[in-house]
Coordinates of all heavy atoms in Angstrom, one line a residue:
M1 N 0.8 -1.2 0.0 CA 0.0 0.0 0.0 C 0.9 1.2 0.0 O 1.8 1.4 0.8 CB -0.9 0.0 1.3 CG -1.8 1.1 1.3 SD -3.2 0.7 0.3 CE -4.2 2.1 0.5
L2 N 0.6 2.1 -0.9 CA 1.3 3.4 -1.0 C 0.9 4.3 0.1 O -0.3 4.4 0.4 CB 1.2 4.0 -2.4 CG 1.7 3.3 -3.6 CD1 1.3 4.1 -4.8 CD2 3.1 3.1 -3.5
T3 N 1.8 5.1 0.6 CA 1.4 6.2 1.4 C 0.8 7.3 0.5 O 1.0 7.3 -0.7 CB 2.6 6.9 2.2 OG1 3.5 7.5 1.2 CG2 3.4 5.8 3.0
R4 N 0.1 8.3 1.1 CA -0.5 9.3 0.4 C 0.6 10.1 -0.5 O 0.4 10.3 -1.7 CB -1.2 10.3 1.2 CG -1.8 11.5 0.4 CD -2.5 12.4 1.4 NE -2.8 13.6 0.6 CZ -3.9 14.2 0.7 NH1 -4.8 13.8 1.6 NH2 -4.2 15.3 -0.1
T5 N 1.7 10.4 0.1 CA 2.8 11.1 -0.6 C 3.3 10.3 -1.7 O 3.5 10.8 -2.8 CB 3.9 11.4 0.4 OG1 3.4 12.3 1.5 CG2 5.0 12.2 -0.3
E6 N 3.5 9.0 -1.5 CA 4.0 8.2 -2.6 C 3.0 8.1 -3.8 O 3.4 8.1 -5.0 CB 4.3 6.8 -2.1 CG 5.5 6.7 -1.2 CD 5.6 5.3 -0.5 OE1 4.6 4.7 -0.3 OE2 6.8 5.0 -0.1
G7 N 1.7 8.0 -3.4 CA 0.7 8.0 -4.4 C 0.6 9.2 -5.2 O 0.5 9.3 -6.5
V8 N 0.7 10.4 -4.6 CA 0.7 11.6 -5.2 C 1.9 11.8 -6.1 O 1.9 12.3 -7.2 CB 0.7 12.8 -4.2 CG1 0.9 14.2 -4.8 CG2 -0.7 12.8 -3.4
Q9 N 3.1 11.4 -5.6 CA 4.3 11.5 -6.4 C 4.2 10.6 -7.6 O 4.6 11.1 -8.7 CB 5.5 11.1 -5.5 CG 5.9 12.1 -4.5 CD 7.0 11.6 -3.6 OE1 7.2 10.4 -3.5 NE2 7.6 12.5 -2.8
R10 N 3.6 9.4 -7.5 CA 3.4 8.6 -8.6 C 2.5 9.2 -9.7 O 2.8 9.2 -10.9 CB 2.9 7.2 -8.2 CG 2.7 6.3 -9.4 CD 2.1 5.0 -8.9 NE 3.2 4.2 -8.3 CZ 3.0 3.0 -7.8 NH1 1.8 2.4 -7.8 NH2 4.0 2.3 -7.2
T11 N 1.4 9.8 -9.2 CA 0.5 10.5 -10.1 C 1.1 11.6 -10.8 O 1.0 11.8 -12.0 CB -0.8 10.9 -9.3 OG1 -1.4 9.8 -8.6 CG2 -1.8 11.6 -10.2
I12 N 1.8 12.5 -10.1 CA 2.5 13.6 -10.7 C 3.6 13.2 -11.6 O 3.7 13.7 -12.7 CB 3.0 14.6 -9.6 CG1 1.8 15.2 -8.8 CG2 3.9 15.6 -10.2 CD1 2.2 16.0 -7.6
G13 N 4.3 12.2 -11.2 CA 5.3 11.6 -12.1 C 4.8 11.1 -13.4 O 5.3 11.3 -14.5
L14 N 3.6 10.4 -13.3 CA 3.0 9.8 -14.5 C 2.5 11.0 -15.4 O 2.7 11.0 -16.6 CB 1.8 9.0 -14.1 CG 1.0 8.4 -15.3 CD1 1.8 7.6 -16.2 CD2 -0.2 7.6 -14.8
A15 N 1.9 12.0 -14.8 CA 1.4 13.2 -15.5 C 2.6 13.9 -16.3 O 2.5 14.2 -17.4 CB 0.7 14.2 -14.6
L16 N 3.8 14.0 -15.6 CA 4.9 14.6 -16.2 C 5.4 13.8 -17.3 O 5.7 14.2 -18.4 CB 6.0 14.9 -15.1 CG 7.2 15.6 -15.7 CD1 6.9 16.9 -16.3 CD2 8.2 15.7 -14.5
A17 N 5.5 12.5 -17.0 CA 6.1 11.5 -18.1 C 5.2 11.5 -19.3 O 5.7 11.6 -20.4 CB 6.2 10.1 -17.5
L18 N 3.9 11.5 -19.1 CA 3.0 11.5 -20.3 C 3.1 12.8 -21.0 O 3.0 12.9 -22.2 CB 1.6 11.3 -19.8 CG 1.3 9.8 -19.4 CD1 -0.1 9.7 -18.8 CD2 1.5 8.9 -20.6
S19 N 3.2 14.0 -20.3 CA 3.3 15.3 -20.9 C 4.6 15.3 -21.7 O 4.6 15.8 -22.9 CB 3.3 16.4 -19.9 OG 2.1 16.4 -19.2
L20 N 5.7 14.9 -21.2 CA 7.0 14.9 -21.9 C 6.9 13.9 -23.2 O 7.5 14.3 -24.2 CB 8.1 14.5 -21.0 CG 8.4 15.6 -19.9 CD1 9.5 15.1 -19.0 CD2 8.8 16.9 -20.5
A21 N 6.3 12.8 -23.0 CA 6.2 11.8 -24.1 C 5.4 12.3 -25.2 O 5.6 11.8 -26.3 CB 5.7 10.5 -23.5
S22 N 4.5 13.3 -25.0 CA 3.6 13.7 -26.0 C 4.2 14.7 -27.0 O 3.6 15.0 -28.0 CB 2.4 14.3 -25.4 OG 2.7 15.6 -24.8
C23 N 5.4 15.1 -26.7 CA 6.0 16.1 -27.6 C 6.2 15.5 -29.0 O 6.8 14.5 -29.2 CB 7.5 16.4 -27.0 SG 8.1 17.9 -27.7
G24 N 5.4 16.2 -29.9 CA 5.5 15.7 -31.3 C 4.5 14.6 -31.6 O 4.4 14.0 -32.7
A25 N 3.6 14.2 -30.6 CA 2.7 13.1 -30.8 C 1.6 13.6 -31.8 O 1.3 14.8 -31.9 CB 2.1 12.7 -29.5
P26 N 1.0 12.6 -32.5 CA -0.1 13.0 -33.4 C -1.3 13.6 -32.6 O -1.5 13.3 -31.5 CB -0.5 11.7 -34.0 CG 0.0 10.6 -33.1 CD 1.2 11.2 -32.4
R27 N -2.0 14.5 -33.3 CA -3.1 15.1 -32.7 C -4.2 14.1 -32.4 O -4.5 13.2 -33.1 CB -3.7 16.1 -33.7 CG -4.9 16.9 -33.1 CD -5.4 17.9 -34.2 NE -6.7 18.3 -33.8 CZ -7.0 19.4 -33.2 NH1 -6.0 20.1 -32.7 NH2 -8.2 19.7 -32.9
S28 N -4.8 14.3 -31.2 CA -5.9 13.4 -30.8 C -7.1 13.8 -31.7 O -7.3 14.9 -32.1 CB -6.3 13.7 -29.4 OG -7.5 13.0 -29.0
P29 N -8.0 12.8 -32.0 CA -9.2 13.1 -32.8 C -10.2 14.0 -32.0 O -11.1 14.5 -32.6 CB -9.8 11.7 -33.1 CG -9.2 10.8 -32.0 CD -7.9 11.4 -31.7
R30 N -10.0 14.0 -30.7 CA -10.9 14.9 -29.9 C -10.3 16.4 -30.0 O -9.2 16.6 -30.3 CB -10.9 14.4 -28.5 CG -11.4 13.0 -28.3 CD -11.2 12.5 -26.9 NE -11.4 13.6 -26.0 CZ -12.0 13.5 -24.8 NH1 -12.5 12.4 -24.5 NH2 -12.2 14.6 -24.1
H31 N -11.2 17.3 -29.6 CA -10.7 18.7 -29.7 C -10.7 19.3 -28.3 O -11.1 18.7 -27.3 CB -11.6 19.5 -30.6 CG -13.0 19.5 -30.3 ND1 -13.5 20.3 -29.3 CD2 -14.0 18.8 -30.8 CE1 -14.9 20.1 -29.3 NE2 -15.2 19.2 -30.1
A32 N -10.1 20.4 -28.2 CA -9.8 21.1 -26.8 C -11.1 21.2 -26.0 O -11.0 21.2 -24.8 CB -9.1 22.4 -27.0
G33 N -12.2 21.4 -26.6 CA -13.5 21.6 -25.8 C -13.9 20.4 -25.1 O -14.9 20.4 -24.4
D34 N -13.4 19.2 -25.4 CA -13.8 17.9 -24.8 C -13.1 17.6 -23.6 O -13.3 16.4 -23.1 CB -13.7 16.8 -25.8 CG -14.6 16.9 -27.0 OD1 -15.6 17.6 -26.9 OD2 -14.3 16.3 -28.0
V35 N -12.4 18.4 -22.9 CA -11.6 18.0 -21.7 C -12.5 17.7 -20.5 O -12.1 17.0 -19.6 CB -10.5 19.0 -21.4 CG1 -9.5 19.1 -22.4 CG2 -11.1 20.4 -21.1
E36 N -13.7 18.2 -20.5 CA -14.6 18.0 -19.3 C -15.6 16.9 -19.7 O -16.8 17.2 -19.9 CB -15.3 19.3 -19.0 CG -14.4 20.4 -18.5 CD -13.7 20.1 -17.2 OE1 -14.3 19.3 -16.4 OE2 -12.7 20.6 -16.9
V37 N -15.2 15.7 -19.6 CA -16.1 14.6 -19.9 C -16.5 14.0 -18.5 O -15.7 13.9 -17.6 CB -15.3 13.5 -20.7 CG1 -16.2 12.3 -20.9 CG2 -14.9 14.1 -22.1
G38 N -17.8 13.6 -18.4 CA -18.2 13.1 -17.1 C -17.4 11.9 -16.6 O -16.8 11.2 -17.3
G39 N -17.4 11.8 -15.3 CA -16.6 10.7 -14.6 C -15.3 11.2 -14.1 O -14.7 10.4 -13.3
G40 N -14.8 12.3 -14.5 CA -13.5 12.8 -14.0 C -13.7 13.7 -12.8 O -14.8 14.0 -12.3
P41 N -12.5 14.2 -12.3 CA -12.6 15.1 -11.2 C -13.2 16.5 -11.5 O -13.3 16.9 -12.7 CB -11.2 15.3 -10.7 CG -10.4 15.0 -12.0 CD -11.2 14.0 -12.8
A42 N -13.7 17.2 -10.5 CA -14.2 18.6 -10.7 C -13.1 19.6 -10.7 O -12.4 19.8 -9.7 CB -15.2 18.9 -9.6
W43 N -12.8 20.2 -11.9 CA -11.6 21.1 -12.0 C -12.1 22.5 -11.7 O -13.2 22.9 -12.1 CB -11.1 21.0 -13.4 CG -10.4 19.7 -13.7 CD1 -11.0 18.6 -14.3 CD2 -9.1 19.3 -13.4 NE1 -10.1 17.6 -14.4 CE2 -8.9 18.0 -13.8 CE3 -8.1 19.9 -12.7 CZ2 -7.7 17.3 -13.6 CZ3 -6.9 19.2 -12.5 CH2 -6.7 17.9 -13.0
N44 N -11.2 23.3 -11.1 CA -11.4 24.7 -11.0 C -10.7 25.4 -12.0 O -9.7 25.0 -12.5 CB -10.9 25.2 -9.6 CG -11.6 24.6 -8.4 OD1 -12.6 25.0 -8.1 ND2 -11.0 23.5 -7.9
E45 N -11.2 26.6 -12.4 CA -10.5 27.4 -13.4 C -9.4 28.1 -12.6 O -9.4 28.3 -11.4 CB -11.4 28.4 -14.0 CG -12.4 27.8 -15.0 CD -13.2 28.9 -15.7 OE1 -12.8 30.1 -15.7 OE2 -14.3 28.5 -16.2
W46 N -8.3 28.5 -13.4 CA -7.3 29.3 -12.8 C -7.9 30.6 -12.4 O -8.3 31.4 -13.2 CB -6.2 29.6 -13.9 CG -5.0 30.4 -13.4 CD1 -5.0 31.7 -13.1 CD2 -3.7 29.9 -13.1 NE1 -3.8 32.1 -12.7 CE2 -3.0 31.0 -12.7 CE3 -3.1 28.6 -13.1 CZ2 -1.6 30.9 -12.3 CZ3 -1.8 28.6 -12.7 CH2 -1.1 29.7 -12.3
S47 N -8.0 30.8 -11.1 CA -8.6 32.1 -10.6 C -8.1 32.4 -9.2 O -7.6 31.5 -8.5 CB -10.2 31.9 -10.5 OG -10.5 31.0 -9.5
R48 N -8.3 33.6 -8.8 CA -7.9 34.0 -7.4 C -8.7 33.2 -6.4 O -8.2 32.8 -5.4 CB -8.2 35.5 -7.3 CG -7.8 36.0 -5.9 CD -8.0 37.5 -5.9 NE -6.9 38.0 -6.7 CZ -6.3 39.2 -6.5 NH1 -6.7 39.9 -5.5 NH2 -5.4 39.6 -7.3
D49 N -10.0 32.9 -6.7 CA -10.8 32.2 -5.8 C -10.2 30.8 -5.5 O -10.3 30.3 -4.4 CB -12.2 32.1 -6.3 CG -12.9 33.4 -6.3 OD1 -12.6 34.3 -5.5 OD2 -13.9 33.6 -7.0
A50 N -9.8 30.1 -6.6 CA -9.3 28.8 -6.4 C -8.0 28.8 -5.5 O -7.9 27.9 -4.7 CB -8.9 28.2 -7.8
F51 N -7.1 29.7 -5.8 CA -5.9 29.8 -4.9 C -6.2 30.2 -3.5 O -5.6 29.7 -2.6 CB -4.9 30.7 -5.6 CG -4.2 30.1 -6.8 CD1 -4.8 30.4 -8.1 CD2 -3.1 29.4 -6.7 CE1 -4.2 29.8 -9.2 CE2 -2.5 28.8 -7.8 CZ -3.1 29.0 -9.1
E52 N -7.2 31.1 -3.3 CA -7.6 31.5 -2.0 C -8.2 30.3 -1.2 O -8.0 30.1 -0.1 CB -8.5 32.7 -2.0 CG -7.8 34.0 -2.4 CD -8.7 35.2 -2.5 OE1 -10.0 35.0 -2.4 OE2 -8.2 36.3 -2.8
R53 N -9.0 29.5 -2.0 CA -9.6 28.3 -1.4 C -8.5 27.4 -0.9 O -8.6 26.8 0.3 CB -10.5 27.7 -2.4 CG -11.1 26.4 -1.9 CD -12.0 25.8 -2.9 NE -12.2 24.4 -2.5 CZ -12.4 23.4 -3.4 NH1 -12.4 23.7 -4.7 NH2 -12.6 22.2 -3.0
A54 N -7.6 27.1 -1.7 CA -6.4 26.2 -1.3 C -5.7 26.7 -0.1 O -5.5 26.0 0.9 CB -5.5 26.1 -2.5
R55 N -5.5 28.0 0.0 CA -4.8 28.6 1.2 C -5.7 28.5 2.4 O -5.3 28.1 3.4 CB -4.5 30.1 0.9 CG -3.7 30.7 2.0 CD -3.3 32.1 1.6 NE -2.5 32.2 0.4 CZ -2.9 32.9 -0.7 NH1 -4.0 33.5 -0.7 NH2 -2.2 32.8 -1.8
R56 N -7.0 28.9 2.2 CA -7.9 28.8 3.3 C -8.1 27.4 3.9 O -8.2 27.2 5.1 CB -9.3 29.4 2.8 CG -10.4 29.5 3.9 CD -11.6 30.1 3.4 NE -12.2 29.3 2.3 CZ -12.3 29.7 1.0 NH1 -11.8 30.9 0.6 NH2 -12.8 29.0 0.1
E57 N -8.2 26.4 3.0 CA -8.4 25.0 3.5 C -7.1 24.3 3.8 O -7.1 23.1 4.2 CB -9.2 24.3 2.4 CG -10.6 24.9 2.2 CD -11.4 24.2 1.1 OE1 -10.9 23.2 0.5 OE2 -12.5 24.7 0.7
G58 N -6.0 24.9 3.5 CA -4.7 24.3 3.8 C -4.4 23.1 2.9 O -3.8 22.1 3.3
R59 N -4.9 23.2 1.7 CA -4.8 22.0 0.7 C -3.8 22.4 -0.4 O -3.8 23.5 -0.9 CB -6.2 21.7 0.1 CG -7.2 21.2 1.2 CD -8.6 21.2 0.7 NE -8.7 20.3 -0.5 CZ -9.8 20.2 -1.2 NH1 -10.9 20.9 -0.9 NH2 -9.9 19.3 -2.2
P60 N -3.0 21.4 -0.8 CA -2.1 21.7 -1.9 C -2.9 21.8 -3.2 O -4.1 21.3 -3.3 CB -1.2 20.5 -1.9 CG -2.0 19.4 -1.3 CD -2.9 20.1 -0.3
I61 N -2.2 22.4 -4.2 CA -2.8 22.5 -5.5 C -2.3 21.5 -6.5 O -1.0 21.3 -6.5 CB -2.6 23.9 -6.1 CG1 -3.4 25.0 -5.2 CG2 -3.0 24.1 -7.6 CD1 -3.0 26.4 -5.5
L62 N -3.1 20.9 -7.3 CA -2.6 20.1 -8.4 C -3.0 20.9 -9.7 O -4.2 21.1 -9.9 CB -3.3 18.7 -8.5 CG -2.7 17.9 -9.7 CD1 -1.7 16.9 -9.1 CD2 -3.8 17.2 -10.4
L63 N -2.0 21.3 -10.4 CA -2.2 22.1 -11.6 C -2.1 21.2 -12.8 O -1.0 20.6 -13.0 CB -1.2 23.3 -11.6 CG -1.3 24.2 -12.8 CD1 -2.6 24.9 -12.8 CD2 -0.1 25.2 -12.7
S64 N -3.1 21.2 -13.7 CA -3.0 20.4 -14.9 C -3.0 21.4 -16.0 O -3.9 22.2 -16.3 CB -4.3 19.6 -15.0 OG -4.3 18.9 -16.3
V65 N -1.9 21.4 -16.8 CA -1.7 22.2 -17.9 C -1.7 21.4 -19.2 O -1.0 20.4 -19.3 CB -0.3 23.0 -17.9 CG1 -0.1 23.8 -19.1 CG2 -0.2 23.8 -16.6
Q66 N -2.7 21.6 -20.0 CA -2.9 20.7 -21.2 C -3.0 21.5 -22.5 O -3.3 22.7 -22.4 CB -4.2 19.9 -20.9 CG -4.2 19.1 -19.7 CD -5.3 18.2 -19.6 OE1 -6.2 18.1 -20.5 NE2 -5.5 17.5 -18.5
A67 N -2.9 20.8 -23.5 CA -3.1 21.4 -24.8 C -4.1 20.6 -25.6 O -4.1 19.4 -25.5 CB -1.8 21.4 -25.7
G68 N -5.0 21.3 -26.3 CA -6.1 20.5 -27.0 C -5.6 19.6 -28.1 O -6.2 18.6 -28.4
W69 N -4.4 19.9 -28.6 CA -3.8 19.0 -29.7 C -3.1 17.8 -29.1 O -2.7 16.9 -29.8 CB -2.9 19.8 -30.6 CG -1.9 20.6 -29.8 CD1 -2.0 21.9 -29.5 CD2 -0.6 20.1 -29.2 NE1 -0.8 22.3 -28.8 CE2 0.0 21.2 -28.6 CE3 0.0 18.9 -29.2 CZ2 1.2 21.1 -27.9 CZ3 1.2 18.8 -28.5 CH2 1.8 19.9 -27.9
C70 N -2.9 17.8 -27.8 CA -2.0 16.8 -27.2 C -2.8 15.5 -26.9 O -3.7 15.4 -26.1 CB -1.5 17.3 -25.8 SG -0.6 16.1 -24.9
H71 N -2.4 14.4 -27.6 CA -3.0 13.1 -27.5 C -2.9 12.6 -26.1 O -3.9 12.1 -25.5 CB -2.3 12.1 -28.4 CG -2.7 10.7 -28.1 ND1 -4.0 10.2 -28.5 CD2 -2.1 9.7 -27.5 CE1 -4.0 8.9 -28.2 NE2 -2.9 8.6 -27.5
W72 N -1.8 12.8 -25.4 CA -1.6 12.2 -24.1 C -2.4 13.0 -23.1 O -2.7 12.5 -22.0 CB -0.1 12.1 -23.8 CG 0.5 11.0 -24.7 CD1 1.4 11.3 -25.7 CD2 0.2 9.6 -24.6 NE1 1.7 10.1 -26.3 CE2 1.0 9.1 -25.6 CE3 -0.5 8.8 -23.8 CZ2 1.0 7.7 -25.9 CZ3 -0.6 7.5 -24.0 CH2 0.2 6.9 -25.1
C73 N -2.6 14.2 -23.3 CA -3.5 15.0 -22.4 C -4.9 14.4 -22.4 O -5.5 14.2 -21.3 CB -3.6 16.5 -22.8 SG -2.0 17.4 -22.6
H74 N -5.4 14.0 -23.5 CA -6.7 13.3 -23.6 C -6.6 11.9 -22.9 O -7.6 11.6 -22.3 CB -7.1 13.2 -25.1 CG -7.4 14.5 -25.7 ND1 -8.5 15.3 -25.3 CD2 -6.7 15.2 -26.7 CE1 -8.5 16.4 -26.0 NE2 -7.4 16.4 -26.9
V75 N -5.6 11.3 -23.0 CA -5.4 10.0 -22.3 C -5.5 10.2 -20.8 O -6.2 9.5 -20.1 CB -4.1 9.2 -22.7 CG1 -3.8 8.0 -21.9 CG2 -4.1 8.9 -24.2
M76 N -4.8 11.2 -20.3 CA -4.9 11.5 -18.9 C -6.3 11.8 -18.5 O -6.7 11.3 -17.5 CB -4.0 12.8 -18.6 CG -2.5 12.6 -18.6 SD -1.9 11.6 -17.3 CE -2.2 12.6 -15.9
N77 N -7.1 12.6 -19.3 CA -8.4 12.9 -18.9 C -9.3 11.6 -19.0 O -10.2 11.4 -18.2 CB -9.0 13.9 -19.9 CG -8.3 15.3 -19.7 OD1 -7.9 15.6 -18.6 ND2 -8.2 16.0 -20.8
D78 N -9.2 10.8 -20.1 CA -10.1 9.7 -20.3 C -9.7 8.5 -19.5 O -10.6 7.7 -19.2 CB -10.0 9.3 -21.8 CG -10.6 10.4 -22.6 OD1 -11.3 11.3 -22.2 OD2 -10.3 10.4 -23.9
V79 N -8.4 8.3 -19.1 CA -8.0 7.1 -18.4 C -7.6 7.4 -17.0 O -8.2 7.0 -16.0 CB -6.9 6.3 -19.2 CG1 -6.4 5.1 -18.4 CG2 -7.4 6.0 -20.6
T80 N -6.5 8.2 -16.9 CA -5.9 8.4 -15.5 C -6.8 9.1 -14.6 O -7.0 8.7 -13.5 CB -4.6 9.2 -15.7 OG1 -3.7 8.5 -16.6 CG2 -3.9 9.4 -14.3
Y81 N -7.5 10.2 -15.1 CA -8.3 11.0 -14.2 C -9.7 10.4 -14.0 O -10.6 11.0 -13.4 CB -8.5 12.5 -14.7 CG -7.2 13.3 -14.5 CD1 -6.8 14.1 -15.5 CD2 -6.5 13.2 -13.4 CE1 -5.6 14.9 -15.4 CE2 -5.3 14.0 -13.2 CZ -4.9 14.8 -14.2 OH -3.7 15.5 -14.0
R82 N -9.9 9.2 -14.5 CA -11.1 8.4 -14.2 C -10.9 7.2 -13.4 O -11.8 6.6 -12.9 CB -11.8 8.0 -15.5 CG -12.4 9.1 -16.3 CD -12.9 8.6 -17.6 NE -13.5 9.7 -18.4 CZ -14.7 9.7 -18.9 NH1 -15.5 8.7 -18.7 NH2 -15.1 10.7 -19.6
D83 N -9.6 6.9 -13.1 CA -9.2 5.8 -12.3 C -9.6 6.1 -10.9 O -9.2 7.1 -10.3 CB -7.7 5.6 -12.4 CG -7.3 4.4 -11.6 OD1 -7.2 4.5 -10.4 OD2 -6.9 3.4 -12.2
P84 N -10.4 5.1 -10.2 CA -10.9 5.4 -8.8 C -9.7 5.6 -7.9 O -9.8 6.4 -6.9 CB -11.6 4.1 -8.5 CG -12.0 3.5 -9.8 CD -10.9 3.9 -10.8
D85 N -8.6 4.9 -8.0 CA -7.4 5.1 -7.1 C -6.8 6.5 -7.3 O -6.5 7.1 -6.3 CB -6.3 4.0 -7.4 CG -6.8 2.6 -7.0 OD1 -7.7 2.5 -6.1 OD2 -6.4 1.6 -7.6
V86 N -6.7 6.9 -8.5 CA -6.2 8.3 -8.7 C -7.2 9.3 -8.2 O -6.8 10.3 -7.5 CB -5.9 8.6 -10.2 CG1 -5.6 10.0 -10.5 CG2 -4.9 7.6 -10.7
L87 N -8.5 9.1 -8.4 CA -9.5 10.0 -7.9 C -9.4 10.1 -6.4 O -9.5 11.2 -5.8 CB -10.9 9.7 -8.4 CG -11.1 9.9 -9.9 CD1 -12.5 9.3 -10.2 CD2 -11.1 11.3 -10.3
A88 N -9.2 9.0 -5.8 CA -9.1 9.0 -4.3 C -7.9 9.8 -3.8 O -8.0 10.5 -2.8 CB -9.0 7.6 -3.8
Q89 N -6.8 9.7 -4.6 CA -5.6 10.5 -4.2 C -5.8 12.0 -4.4 O -5.2 12.8 -3.7 CB -4.4 10.0 -5.1 CG -3.9 8.6 -4.8 CD -3.3 8.5 -3.4 OE1 -2.7 9.4 -2.9 NE2 -3.6 7.4 -2.7
L90 N -6.6 12.3 -5.4 CA -6.8 13.8 -5.7 C -7.8 14.5 -4.7 O -7.8 15.7 -4.7 CB -7.4 13.9 -7.1 CG -6.5 13.4 -8.2 CD1 -7.2 13.6 -9.6 CD2 -5.2 14.2 -8.2
E91 N -8.5 13.7 -3.9 CA -9.4 14.3 -3.0 C -8.8 15.4 -2.1 O -9.5 16.3 -1.7 CB -10.1 13.2 -2.1 CG -11.1 12.4 -3.0 CD -11.8 11.3 -2.2 OE1 -11.6 11.3 -0.9 OE2 -12.5 10.6 -2.8
G92 N -7.6 15.3 -1.7 CA -7.0 16.2 -0.8 C -6.5 17.5 -1.5 O -5.9 18.3 -0.8
F93 N -6.7 17.6 -2.8 CA -6.1 18.7 -3.5 C -7.2 19.7 -4.0 O -8.4 19.3 -4.2 CB -5.4 18.2 -4.8 CG -4.1 17.5 -4.5 CD1 -4.1 16.2 -4.2 CD2 -2.9 18.2 -4.6 CE1 -2.9 15.5 -3.9 CE2 -1.7 17.5 -4.3 CZ -1.7 16.2 -4.0
V94 N -6.8 20.9 -4.2 CA -7.6 21.8 -5.0 C -7.1 21.6 -6.5 O -5.9 21.8 -6.7 CB -7.5 23.2 -4.5 CG1 -8.2 24.2 -5.5 CG2 -8.0 23.4 -3.1
L95 N -8.0 21.2 -7.4 CA -7.6 20.9 -8.7 C -7.8 22.1 -9.7 O -8.9 22.6 -9.7 CB -8.4 19.7 -9.2 CG -8.4 18.4 -8.4 CD1 -9.3 17.4 -8.9 CD2 -6.9 17.9 -8.3
I96 N -6.8 22.5 -10.3 CA -6.9 23.7 -11.2 C -6.4 23.3 -12.6 O -5.4 22.6 -12.8 CB -6.0 24.9 -10.7 CG1 -6.5 25.3 -9.3 CG2 -6.0 26.0 -11.6 CD1 -5.7 26.4 -8.7
R97 N -7.2 23.6 -13.6 CA -6.9 23.4 -15.0 C -7.0 24.7 -15.7 O -8.0 25.4 -15.6 CB -7.8 22.3 -15.6 CG -7.5 22.1 -17.0 CD -8.4 21.1 -17.7 NE -8.0 19.8 -17.2 CZ -8.8 18.7 -17.2 NH1 -10.0 18.8 -17.7 NH2 -8.4 17.6 -16.7

């Protein structure tokens, strides 16, 4: 069983690895407007309110930076961010996209 920190590190490491691996990847057939598909986490927009909420609640921020043309960003949304184990790890974060 992973500790929370190890799980978070694994999730962030996977996100970084997938982001780096996508450099030059073919465009996904989906478009940028499709990033909010049901079943994933509830993302906050980059805003003062989101950062203030994180500070007020003493929660870390998980920042997801994506590109509509990035195939692996869509994989993260469709697979990784729908995985129940990953979703459980994200509960302690304020999620910003």
Side-chain angles (χ1 to χ4, degrees):
M1 182 80 180
L2 294 176
T3 67
R4 178 183 172 137
T5 301
E6 291 168 334
V8 169
Q9 289 172 342
R10 180 180 286 178
T11 301
I12 293 170
L14 176 60
L16 180 58
L18 288 174
S19 295
L20 293 174
S22 70
C23 197
R27 180 182 164 94
S28 171
R30 297 171 39 137
H31 57 82
D34 288 342
V35 295
E36 295 293 335
V37 177
W43 294 96
N44 295 278
E45 290 186 19
W46 180 286
S47 69
R48 180 174 292 211
D49 290 339
F51 287 92
E52 287 176 359
R53 177 179 162 215
R55 185 176 304 117
R56 182 178 60 249
E57 296 176 7
R59 295 167 60 187
I61 293 170
L62 181 103
L63 179 62
S64 177
V65 179
Q66 301 187 7
W69 51 262
C70 174
H71 168 77
W72 292 109
C73 294
H74 293 292
V75 172
M76 287 290 292
N77 293 328
D78 296 340
V79 179
T80 305
Y81 288 137
R82 289 176 182 235
D83 182 288
D85 293 332
V86 172
L87 291 173
Q89 293 293 323
L90 296 178
E91 287 179 5
F93 289 84
V94 172
L95 305 174
I96 299 176
R97 176 178 292 158

